[in-house]
Amino acid sequence: MTPLFLNTPAQYAELVNSVDTVLFDCDGVLYLGENLIENAKNLLEMLRSSGKKVIFVTNNSTKSRKDLKKTFDGHGLEASIEECFGSAYASAVYLSEVLKFPKDKKVYVFGHEGLEEELDEVGISHCGGSDPEDRTFTPPLNYADYRPDPSVGAVLCGADHYINLKKITKAVTYLHNPECKLILTNPDATFPIGDGIFPASGAMSAGIVYAAKQTPVVIGKPSKTMMDAVVAHHHIDPARTLMIGDNLHTDIEFGINSGIRTLLVMTGVTTYDQIYGPNPSPVVPTYVIERAGDLVRMSKE
Amino acid sequence: MTPLFLNTPAQYAELVNSVDTVLFDCDGVLYLGENLIENAKNLLEMLRSSGKKVIFVTNNSTKSRKDLKKTFDGHGLEASIEECFGSAYASAVYLSEVLKFPKDKKVYVFGHEGLEEELDEVGISHCGGSDPEDRTFTPPLNYADYRPDPSVGAVLCGADHYINLKKITKAVTYLHNPECKLILTNPDATFPIGDGIFPASGAMSAGIVYAAKQTPVVIGKPSKTMMDAVVAHHHIDPARTLMIGDNLHTDIEFGINSGIRTLLVMTGVTTYDQIYGPNPSPVVPTYVIERAGDLVRMSKE
């Protein structure tokens, strides 16, 4: 099945009029590295002034919503904290609203301050994370120091640039208790910078997953769990929601897994060949558009 | 299929007479932690005096053959360096004799001195490993510092207690070159100490594997690659070789994958219920014996 390529003002209008909520991936959609995508700012203003809800859905697990808003500020784009939905906050919402995490338990954090900040926001106790004690380690490991702790009800793993054997061993020790849940903010293996490929959150937590012998709950895109958290928090109607993204394997699969319509933009990591070439990707968006900002040229009714 | 339980001197004699080489797992077979298994010392002496070849096949990747011999010395068991075959040495043999690793390339080592020592033994250049530069890291990562290096022909991953994001990022950067091979000394996820479960080699390298998007060559048990290295080096006849071990998923699967007979001992991690219970393991050894040392009570011809 070939997705519909949108390139007329009438098509833009039909799509925008059919939705109440637009979920945006950010990098590759609204900006690319340092540069704004054409009409990105106008698009956000047009959607808000038409009464649409705008939510920024990103897998970055080191940033709280406050940090994400600062990124938008830095690009000269308006965004409220309420509109930001990173995988750190989604994980906190999942623990609090979906899992009803018990108040007398705590979460062992494999991750950074942004993740801790979001757990604080929803009132969930935590340990590990940015604790300097866990951020420093010199072998050998004294195995006798690592004991199960029944007060740890979950291990929450995001990107942790301080990854070391102490952190991994603590997490694996807690997870040896089958009642301790394993949650990943997001499964991304790598991310590109320039022509390089660098290890992302999923690569940092892969050792914990491998040793834990427990299937993790994965929060971030493309997991539907991210959408469950968005719906639990924002009470949106999936039938009138659109996901806009540049990545087939995170954004578009996320929309497909969540049962909502998807719009692929060509300003990020996906090439036209992957969609319209002789061997197209099996991941098929509902619509394709050259750039998200094109939607502002919709025809007026 | 239920495996044959050996418990008569005639059965012991028949088995011993049918083999020229005995491959031993060590912990759980010859000793358990600090304690020698009954008749372990006598068994090794009996086999050697009958002209059998004895090889100690262990997944421990941090120890060179010299280090393994020291472990045997510490238990009061005789062992020559030639009889020791750890996954560190097996990896070096694999690179040198099976892969014919080019002399003008080097191996990036994610592991300890024992692994470097074995690469030195077979004349393969290496970097990383115990280099103090790689063993220390404090975020943030300066991504511009990480560049591909075409002189790195393989990344070899064992247990590395100094795991940090610098090491992972270097490995992933080298592996971005599809000609750079990814090799794991062994796939073990965890190992037990007392009532605890701790992350093993496979857990430490899992992040590199996850980010590399390249199927690794796995050397250690249960991979047949370990047997290919043993055969390449020792020129043994698989039809007259027996693997003795206590672990169904490493030792016994290793024997099965390698097409040789296996003898499970009940002095380690496996319970009788897993073999003769109502829901037996799908991994079925050829023979079962209470303890390896029982073989010394074989009938004389």
Side-chain angles (χ1 to χ4, degrees), chain B residues 266-299:
Chain B
M266 305 309 293
T267 45
V269 298
T270 304
T271 61
Y272 278 103
D273 199 54
Q274 289 174 269
I275 304 300
Y276 297 110
N279 295 303
S281 165
V283 180
V284 180
T286 323
Y287 316 104
V288 180
I289 198 168
E290 191 173 345
R291 62 183 80 74
D294 291 353
L295 289 173
V296 301
R297 297 203 300 267
M298 59 188 271
S299 56

Side-chain angles (χ1 to χ4, degrees), chain A residues 6-15 294-295 297-300:
Chain A
L6 307 183
N7 60 356
T8 70
Q11 288 174 320
Y12 304 154
E14 192 180 342
L15 176 56
D294 291 353
L295 289 174
R297 297 203 299 267
M298 60 187 271
S299 55
K300 301 284 181 281

Side-chain angles (χ1 to χ4, degrees), chain A residues 9-289:
Chain A
Q11 288 174 320
Y12 304 154
E14 192 180 342
L15 176 56
V16 172
N17 291 332
S18 74
V19 302
D20 295 331
T21 304
V22 180
L23 309 182
F24 279 96
D25 179 48
C26 305
D27 200 15
V29 178
L30 298 170
Y31 47 81
L32 189 68
E34 302 292 297
N35 305 310
L36 274 188
I37 301 290
E38 191 184 325
N39 276 328
K41 197 173 157 70
N42 293 337
L43 175 61
L44 297 179
E45 282 168 10
M46 182 270 276
L47 290 171
R48 289 190 189 105
S49 68
S50 317
K52 315 286 184 193
K53 195 187 274 258
V54 166
I55 305 171
F56 306 109
V57 178
T58 161
N59 270 3
N60 187 316
S61 68
T62 60
K63 290 184 174 169
S64 66
R65 288 167 303 158
K66 283 178 192 160
D67 299 329
L68 292 170
K69 179 176 162 33
K70 277 181 209 146
T71 305
F72 275 85
D73 292 346
H75 282 99
L77 286 173
E78 199 191 318
S80 70
I81 285 177
E82 189 61 16
E83 288 171 336
C84 293
F85 214 91
S87 70
Y89 184 58
S91 300
V93 168
Y94 173 81
L95 278 159
S96 166
E97 298 186 26
V98 180
L99 209 63
K100 311 287 181 196
F101 192 76
K103 290 291 170 199
D104 60 337
K105 299 264 184 180
K106 62 191 171 193
V107 170
Y108 181 74
V109 174
F110 178 87
H112 287 228
E113 289 82 348
L115 202 45
E116 297 175 310
E117 195 180 315
E118 297 295 19
L119 290 172
D120 290 337
E121 282 285 327
V122 300
I124 289 178
S125 310
H126 53 85
C127 58
S130 63
D131 184 345
E133 167 62 27
D134 277 20
R135 283 190 163 175
T136 52
F137 171 67
T138 307
L141 201 68
N142 182 5
Y143 291 98
D145 292 345
Y146 297 84
R147 306 298 307 165
D149 181 347
S151 77
V152 176
V155 171
L156 173 58
C157 300
D160 193 329
H161 291 214
Y162 291 86
I163 180 173
N164 63 38
L165 191 59
K166 183 192 281 183
K167 283 175 181 262
I168 296 171
T169 304
K170 281 193 174 187
V172 170
T173 302
Y174 300 141
L175 290 163
H176 193 37
N177 170 7
E179 285 174 29
C180 181
K181 297 197 159 44
L182 175 56
I183 298 164
L184 307 190
T185 57
N186 61 304
D188 303 47
T190 56
F191 64 94
I193 296 183
D195 58 356
I197 291 284
F198 294 95
S201 176
M204 299 178 206
S205 54
I208 294 170
V209 176
Y210 189 75
K213 293 173 182 166
Q214 178 178 136
T215 306
V217 173
V218 179
I219 303 291
K221 299 178 286 188
S223 168
K224 181 178 177 293
T225 313
M226 184 86 154
M227 181 62 89
D228 295 341
V230 171
V231 171
H233 189 75
H234 282 286
H235 308 292
I236 58 173
D237 174 7
R240 293 191 55 85
T241 299
L242 177 72
M243 173 74 210
I244 306 185
D246 70 317
N247 189 317
L248 290 171
H249 300 292
T250 51
D251 306 319
I252 304 305
E253 275 198 39
F254 167 67
I256 293 168
N257 292 339
S258 305
I260 65 172
R261 287 171 291 159
T262 56
L263 172 61
L264 177 73
V265 299
M266 304 309 293
T267 45
V269 298
T270 304
T271 62
Y272 279 103
D273 200 52
Q274 288 173 269
I275 304 299
Y276 298 110
N279 294 302
S281 166
V283 180
V284 180
T286 321
Y287 316 104
V288 180
I289 198 167

